[in-house]
Amino acid sequence: MKNIRYTSIEGNSIKFLGLLGVYGFFILLGFYAFITMEHEGHWITGMTNQVIWGLPHVFAIFLIVAASGALNVASIASVFNKSFYKPLAKLSAVLSLALLAGGLAVLLLDLGRPDRLIVAITYYNFKSIFAWNIILYTGFFGIVGIYLWTMLDWEVEKYKRIAGTAAFIWRLILTTGTGSIFGFLVSRQAYDAAIMAPMFIIMSFSFGLAIYLLVLMASYKWTGRELGDAVITKLKNLLGVFIAATLYFSLAYHLTNLYATEHHGIEAFVLMEGGVITNMFWYGQVIIGAIIPLLIVYLPRPAKSRTMIGIASVLVILGGLASLYVILIGGQSYPMTLVPGYEATSTFADGAITEYSPSIWEFMLGMGGVAISLVIVTFAVKIFRLLPDSLADSIAAPQK
Amino acid sequence: MNSRQLPKLLLTSALLLWSIASFAASDFSGPDRDAGGNIVPTPKGESCVAPTADIRANHMDYLKHKRNETMRKGIRTEKNSLVECINCHVTPGEDGKVARINDDQHFCSSCHRVASVTLDCFECHADRPVEYFSRSPAGHDVFALNPALKTNTPHVVMNRKGQ
Amino acid sequence: MSSKTNSSSNKIDQYRRRLLGGSAAAVAGLTLAPGLILNTVQAKPADQAVSNKNRWGLLIDTKKCADGCTDCVTACNTEHGLREIHGPATDAQWIRNVTLKNKSTGHTVNMPVMCQHCENPPCVDVCPTGASFKRDDGIVLVDKHICIGCRYCMMACPYKARNFIHEVLTDQLPVAPRGKGTVEACTLCVHKVDNGDGTTACADACKHGAITFGDLNDKNSLISKKLEMTGGRQLRAELGLNTGVRYQGL
């Protein structure tokens, strides 16, 4: 392999500043939403005592899950020693940190008492998977930060393998933790399933890689650097595998539920009668998020087009958001059984399917988190030397 | 340390000691004044559960300790209980009304305002003795039976038996 | 200075005497049937911590719970200053009337549902800060001082017993501090329990006698006797949470 020269991007063009302006606008909107929700209380959002976690959590969990997945490219390079992925590793680490920061921002700003962040850090209940996640997220910043350092500074480069392995193990635990937030909820029909943790891991591979592909293509296109087909082809094939695996896990989850009569109600709700949730599942998660991107990635003609691959990545992201919407909102909308065999009614929506209509505030907060992630990546590629000057085939895959 | 700095240091120390001593010796009898010289509302009882200087310095710790004892262990003695602090310290003015937490005359805010220390106790806790919650004409069922009553209407029923 | 200190410690002693004298008095026994005398709640001195000698709970007789009656709900709302604000979706309901209808037989049951005060509460397990906790005497509470408002406990509760406070509150009662951005639920009238009242607002208000408050650990308490004689089941017993609230007639 030829020597690869990493450079920071110029970042002075009108387009670059415009991009920052757009991110800034969304961050401001998100901040405005946060201030408003804080001032008024959560009643102005669509979230209620029935649908407890709403759109902000869809965004936050998506970003957190994608964050660990975005590290994959770096892990393949350092842990599994595939030299092909080495030039792509630095961006991968930075992107994962940025996505985690954005996701956590949304999660924290949606708290009832975000002013008590210090409490969240100083009081721990070690039986809570949520408390473990706080440690896992904080640790992720530290470990991936060190890993990034070993990639950027040749003096500590000898520790790269160790740091990379630690980061890889940590991200697996982290996503297990995120999935377990739902897997450990014994009370709700839609959750309480051990498959949640591995399903979240495979989802993270897919979402993270889709975002990585988009960021990579955008940064090379907008800076006029060369990005060869070898890189794109390898990444999009990998993406295809991950999409298929995600679909498989979803299939296994629903088939298991369908076998147990106890779960027929929730399955009928998600798969057939759930209105928005059902549409989100079939059109969002399955068709937009899996089938169309799979066709694009594997059919010979569209697979050659960069635009189509970009579209496939966007669809995976949209499908990912939809799938989290189904898990989160669907799981909460469907009522819990109080006494088996009895239909319940009350003033507190017992036995009733709860409608959830997200408010503009929640959407603004979520988009603010996305913008925070993107602004971090954009600044990082300007400040650090993350991107190879060229990823043309002759450089990225010289053996061919 | 060189010789020129020594007098300066001595003078500073002397000034500091003098100010501490004079603060410690100052007479707290007569109407209490806050850091800005404003009169602090007079409490109901003869004396506080601890000397004023102690309370001024440590009330937050006492309250926090007490809150944990009460919350977690159900220890409900009156000493250092926030409700009892309020019962004694939030007393009616000449018009027979008690100050609310947003008023400058409220015992807690009279000092916290000057010291620029925000306190969020009263986002949840009652800022006045229960006797001064305005009695609702309807008596007992005011919240549940009359949906027209919204949160901003001052209309809380008596809650302590026999008072 | 010294005289002040003296008088204040005198005052504390006064407080103590009053409290000890006032609440240590035993509450009278109750004659249920000739020869069967039940000891009702014995109050603990105010300066003693609660202990696991007691396990407070409720027994709800659904056969006595009348259709359309909301006295327990009203009493709870009044006791704790809960009121209607932005509608049922976001308003606090610590206790609610649930009507159950058997899908095949049409058999209908009314019952109040509130925090079930589990022995192994999922809300306590999942709370990241430890704000959600169980007292030694079995009462499950939220320490709102360290609640960050993440609502994970609400996700975990199998009974939907918990509420999030969705707006700024004013005029909260001294006995029930509650405020925006934290989670809350039925406290089993913990202030009344600690005061030795031996009842809760809902049990007190039920004119049909459908709600019995008492000590599940005391074999001679009314609630234990009733449970022994006529039984009582837990909601979602399959979860193994060993709830402190039991139901008869389901």
Side-chain angles (χ1 to χ4, degrees):
Chain A
M1 183 183 278
K2 284 181 190 169
N3 263 348
I4 286 173
R5 217 160 63 92
Y6 295 90
T7 49
S8 54
I9 66 160
E10 195 76 24
N12 292 323
S13 65
I14 298 288
K15 240 167 98 181
F16 182 82
L17 294 176
L19 196 63
L20 288 184
V22 171
Y23 298 154
F25 175 72
F26 277 104
I27 291 173
L28 277 179
L29 279 187
F31 191 73
Y32 178 60
F34 157 64
I35 293 290
T36 314
M37 279 164 67
E38 255 333 280
H39 184 73
E40 291 284 335
H42 276 63
W43 74 275
I44 58 165
T45 70
M47 292 177 275
T48 61
N49 283 329
Q50 312 300 333
V51 177
I52 298 148
W53 286 349
L55 202 55
H57 302 82
V58 172
F59 274 96
I61 292 169
F62 176 82
L63 288 171
I64 291 168
V65 165
S68 67
L71 191 66
N72 250 16
V73 174
S75 295
I76 298 171
S78 313
V79 182
F80 301 105
N81 218 10
K82 302 273 185 217
S83 56
F84 178 86
Y85 291 92
K86 279 189 178 155
L88 307 171
K90 294 175 186 180
L91 178 66
S92 158
V94 165
L95 184 61
S96 77
L97 289 178
L99 289 170
L100 186 64
L104 285 185
V106 178
L107 207 59
L108 292 175
L109 295 181
D110 177 75
L111 289 178
R113 296 294 306 243
D115 54 318
R116 288 186 182 159
L117 186 58
I118 191 76
V119 172
I121 300 166
T122 49
Y123 288 76
Y124 275 113
N125 167 24
F126 285 102
K127 206 182 172 186
S128 166
I129 187 69
F130 221 89
W132 280 103
N133 276 328
I134 296 171
I135 298 169
L136 291 172
Y137 299 151
T138 324
F140 190 81
F141 280 115
I143 289 177
V144 177
I146 290 170
Y147 178 34
L148 187 64
W149 179 30
T150 63
M151 288 194 275
L152 291 174
D153 185 350
W154 60 269
E155 280 184 24
V156 289
E157 208 192 344
K158 53 179 179 279
Y159 302 111
K160 190 163 80 179
R161 187 87 193 271
I162 301 168
T165 310
F168 177 68
I169 294 170
W170 196 270
R171 57 87 59 218
L172 288 180
I173 301 172
L174 182 141
T175 322
T176 306
T178 313
S180 301
I181 288 177
F182 299 98
F184 286 6
L185 287 176
V186 293
S187 62
R188 288 181 191 261
Q189 301 259 332
Y191 308 139
D192 185 25
I195 201 175
M196 282 287 179
M199 188 163 84
F200 269 63
I201 289 182
I202 205 72
M203 277 158 68
S204 83
F205 286 1
S206 168
F207 307 162
L209 189 57
I211 298 177
Y212 182 86
L213 251 172
L214 277 181
V215 170
L216 186 74
M217 291 202 292
S219 11
Y220 273 74
K221 191 163 188 195
W222 293 341
T223 54
R225 298 182 186 206
E226 199 177 341
L227 179 60
D229 280 336
V231 171
I232 295 291
T233 309
K234 218 156 194 172
L235 291 181
K236 68 103 184 158
N237 283 341
L238 199 57
L239 182 65
V241 174
F242 293 157
I243 297 168
T246 308
L247 194 62
Y248 164 75
F249 266 83
S250 186
L251 187 74
Y253 165 79
H254 285 292
L255 279 179
T256 314
N257 269 358
L258 281 171
Y259 200 77
T261 314
E262 181 199 357
H263 294 306
H264 282 180
I266 175 77
E267 284 302 316
F269 173 69
V270 171
L271 302 180
M272 284 157 14
E273 299 152 5
V276 177
I277 299 294
T278 304
N279 288 339
M280 282 273 188
F281 178 78
W282 288 111
Y283 298 118
Q285 185 180 338
V286 177
I287 296 178
I288 293 178
I291 294 183
I292 301 179
L294 272 178
L295 290 176
I296 294 177
V297 167
Y298 287 127
L299 284 181
R301 273 188 59 184
K304 287 203 182 73
S305 153
R306 292 277 167 97
T307 317
M308 289 309 279
I309 288 167
I311 289 173
S313 303
V314 170
L315 293 183
V316 168
I317 292 169
L318 292 177
L321 284 167
S323 63
L324 284 172
Y325 194 95
V326 171
I327 293 175
L328 258 159
I329 312 297
Q332 294 175 80
S333 297
Y334 190 76
M336 286 187 274
T337 309
L338 208 52
V339 180
Y342 282 84
E343 270 169 8
T345 45
S346 79
T347 52
F348 203 60
D350 284 281
I353 285 159
T354 321
E355 292 286 324
Y356 167 73
S357 37
S359 65
I360 186 74
W361 307 113
E362 293 158 86
F363 184 72
M364 277 157 65
L365 187 61
M367 288 306 286
V370 175
I372 288 174
S373 298
L374 292 175
V375 90
I376 292 174
V377 177
T378 313
F379 263 114
V381 294
K382 181 177 158 69
I383 295 166
F384 299 111
R385 294 174 192 158
L386 300 175
L387 298 174
D389 256 353
S390 164
L391 281 172
D393 289 353
S394 59
I395 292 167
Q399 69 271 29
K400 280 178 191 170
Chain B
M1 185 187 296
N2 63 39
S3 58
R4 267 188 301 173
Q5 281 177 324
L6 192 63
K8 223 189 242 174
L9 187 77
L10 283 175
L11 184 68
T12 320
S13 323
L15 273 172
L16 197 69
L17 277 174
W18 176 75
S19 58
I20 292 171
S22 61
F23 181 74
S26 60
D27 186 8
F28 285 116
S29 65
D32 277 343
R33 286 171 189 278
D34 65 20
N38 304 309
I39 294 175
V40 171
T42 330
K44 207 156 60 178
E46 292 166 40
S47 67
C48 201
V49 291
T52 310
D54 181 13
I55 287 289
R56 281 193 181 166
N58 301 316
H59 67 279
M60 57 304 255
D61 297 327
Y62 295 154
L63 283 168
K64 193 173 177 183
H65 178 76
K66 176 70 181 174
R67 126 198 155 183
N68 290 335
E69 296 275 294
T70 307
M71 281 263 9
R72 307 258 162 184
K73 299 181 193 161
I75 295 175
R76 290 187 187 256
T77 47
E78 295 189 352
K79 190 185 177 188
N80 297 340
S81 132
L82 181 63
V83 172
E84 293 305 326
C85 296
I86 292 296
N87 282 347
C88 192
H89 280 288
V90 181
T91 51
E94 283 167 10
D95 55 356
K97 285 181 183 161
V98 284
R100 304 295 304 273
I101 190 65
N102 293 327
D103 302 331
D104 291 347
Q105 297 81 26
H106 187 275
F107 180 78
C108 302
S109 43
S110 67
C111 197
H112 272 264
R113 180 180 43 82
V114 177
S116 289
V117 179
T118 48
L119 75 174
D120 64 356
C121 307
F122 302 101
E123 283 179 32
C124 294
H125 286 278
D127 58 357
R128 58 204 191 285
V130 77
E131 294 92 295
Y132 296 99
F133 280 66
S134 58
R135 193 192 281 271
S136 88
H140 225 55
D141 301 340
V142 60
F143 308 122
L145 296 187
N146 190 349
L149 291 171
K150 294 293 178 188
T151 178
N152 292 325
T153 336
H155 59 265
V156 178
V157 291
M158 298 276 289
N159 203 262
R160 258 194 199 169
K161 279 177 194 158
Q163 284 199 24
Chain C
M1 205 63 197
S2 67
S3 71
K4 240 179 195 180
T5 322
N6 275 343
S7 72
S8 71
S9 65
N10 282 344
K11 184 140 192 211
I12 299 161
D13 285 345
Q14 270 174 26
Y15 283 152
R16 274 202 161 180
R17 275 193 295 276
R18 205 169 84 211
L19 279 166
L20 288 170
S23 52
V27 181
L30 178 91
T31 312
L32 190 72
L36 178 58
I37 294 170
L38 290 167
N39 289 323
T40 51
V41 180
Q42 197 94 19
K44 73 164 181 62
D47 62 345
Q48 271 179 29
V50 296
S51 76
N52 56 10
K53 273 183 230 143
N54 309 102
R55 167 111 200 264
W56 303 114
L58 294 171
L59 176 63
I60 289 153
D61 188 344
T62 60
K63 288 193 196 96
K64 290 182 181 165
C65 184
D67 196 10
C69 172
T70 56
D71 285 357
C72 55
V73 178
T74 309
C76 179
N77 292 351
T78 310
E79 181 72 28
H80 302 104
L82 313 182
R83 61 206 83 160
E84 294 191 24
I85 304 172
H86 291 112
T90 51
D91 285 353
Q93 298 186 47
W94 291 10
I95 174 172
R96 59 190 194 266
N97 285 314
V98 175
T99 305
L100 294 168
K101 191 176 174 193
N102 191 303
K103 284 176 201 164
S104 50
T105 62
H107 174 232
T108 308
V109 179
N110 291 308
M111 62 182 197
V113 176
M114 68 292 283
C115 170
Q116 304 286 300
H117 298 281
C118 311
E119 189 190 356
N120 308 303
C123 56
V124 174
D125 290 345
V126 302
C127 176
T129 66
S132 197
F133 71 102
K134 189 186 67 171
R135 291 204 326 179
D136 283 349
D137 59 358
I139 300 180
V140 177
L141 296 172
V142 182
D143 183 348
K144 288 167 195 167
H145 305 102
I146 58 169
C147 173
I148 56 172
C150 73
R151 285 107 81 200
Y152 195 28
C153 57
M154 298 172 69
M155 295 289 286
C157 178
Y159 310 101
K160 289 202 303 180
R162 289 204 160 177
N163 296 269
F164 181 64
I165 304 179
H166 286 81
E167 56 277 294
V168 179
L169 297 180
T170 53
D171 295 321
Q172 296 94 320
L173 296 173
V175 295
R178 37 197 303 270
K180 188 195 78 184
T182 55
V183 174
E184 59 178 8
C186 157
T187 63
L188 207 62
C189 283
V190 65
H191 57 287
K192 292 165 83 73
V193 172
D194 287 344
N195 195 34
D197 289 5
T199 185
T200 61
C202 53
D204 209 21
C206 183
K207 56 181 179 280
H208 307 287
I211 308 177
T212 310
F213 169 84
D215 185 354
L216 298 168
N217 277 358
D218 178 1
K219 290 285 163 251
N220 294 317
S221 67
L222 181 59
I223 190 170
S224 296
K225 290 283 174 195
K226 279 190 176 179
L227 278 167
E228 193 188 346
M229 285 189 277
T230 39
R233 59 179 278 191
Q234 305 173 35
L235 294 181
R236 305 194 68 177
E238 81 278 8
L239 296 173
L241 306 176
N242 188 14
T243 58
V245 180
R246 308 291 172 85
Y247 291 83
Q248 288 181 333
L250 275 179

